[in-house]
Amino acid sequence: AKEEGVPVEIVHNASIMGAAGSCGLQLYNFGQTISIPFFEENWRPTSFYPKIKYNRGGGMHTLCLLDIKVKEPDFEAMARGRTVFLPPRYMSVNTAAEQLIEAEETLGEGAFSPTETLCVGLARLGQTDQVIIAGTLEELKEQEFGNPLHSLIICGDTHELELEMLKQFIVEGSKYKLDGKDT
């Protein structure tokens, strides 16, 4: 339709699980969905890593749900007898990319390459200001996605039709080459 100049508007269900397909990746090529929590100073979980490795080993894409911290208690205030909540925090694609790169550097099992594996950053899908950007994790961590909510897809094997759709979202000068070669 777009090639013919026909206006297209997609109305999504109220779930990222279906809306993620608006980037052009085929939903039946997705494996297990994972959640990426915010890393803390003394807590840097990588329990999501084996699922990414499993999905990519089977050629499947991985939808990454990014952490949301809403109505988190302020423990210092609680220790003083006051109930106070911290301001909401929403993980960005940029933060997720940085944490995934750290996880790969720490574990080093080759689940993905921060400089070569194709990924897709998603922000505010279904809104008039939605953002979809494709590139490597190293490239996505430098992009501007704007306000929340954000999600991330780590691509598995990509079909030529998926690559054709992703061309419109690829970072200019990306190291990932949309020539049908999977990384």
Side-chain angles (χ1 to χ4, degrees), residues 13 58 97 103 136 151:
N13 190 351
T136 68
S151 298

Side-chain angles (χ1 to χ4, degrees), residues 36-182:
I36 301 177
F38 278 111
F39 283 2
E40 303 294 338
E41 186 177 336
N42 296 315
W43 187 66
R44 303 178 100 62
T46 56
S47 55
F48 52 80
Y49 186 90
K51 289 184 179 179
I52 298 170
K53 186 175 180 183
Y54 176 83
N55 285 349
R56 287 196 29 89
M60 298 176 286
H61 310 311
T62 305
L63 175 60
C64 306
L65 305 177
L66 309 185
D67 202 358
I68 298 172
K69 299 259 188 220
V70 180
K71 209 164 182 179
E72 295 285 314
D74 181 336
F75 293 112
E76 290 180 18
M78 286 177 72
R80 292 188 299 274
R82 294 187 355 220
T83 301
V84 176
F85 297 101
L86 298 171
R89 290 192 311 156
Y90 303 92
M91 185 180 287
S92 66
V93 169
N94 315 81
T95 299
E98 290 170 359
Q99 290 187 190
L100 285 162
I101 291 167
E102 180 181 323
E104 182 59 55
E105 289 171 351
T106 301
L107 300 173
E109 296 177 20
F112 51 86
S113 167
T115 59
E116 295 178 3
T117 300
L118 182 62
C119 298
V120 183
L122 311 165
R124 298 173 308 288
L125 288 186
Q127 303 297 311
T128 56
D129 65 342
Q130 76 177 13
V131 174
I132 302 172
I133 303 174
T136 68
L137 287 172
E138 287 287 352
E139 294 164 342
L140 292 183
K141 75 178 189 178
E142 304 300 329
Q143 302 304 306
E144 179 55 50
F145 289 89
N147 292 326
L149 294 169
H150 294 189
S151 298
L152 177 71
I153 300 168
I154 302 169
C155 296
D157 296 341
T158 47
H159 185 274
E160 63 186 56
L161 291 176
E162 291 176 309
L163 291 172
E164 187 64 33
M165 280 296 295
L166 287 172
K167 281 182 184 178
Q168 64 187 308
F169 305 120
I170 196 77
V171 171
E172 187 175 331
S174 176
K175 297 205 183 305
Y176 185 84
K177 303 301 178 211
L178 292 173
D179 60 3
K181 178 181 174 282
D182 295 320

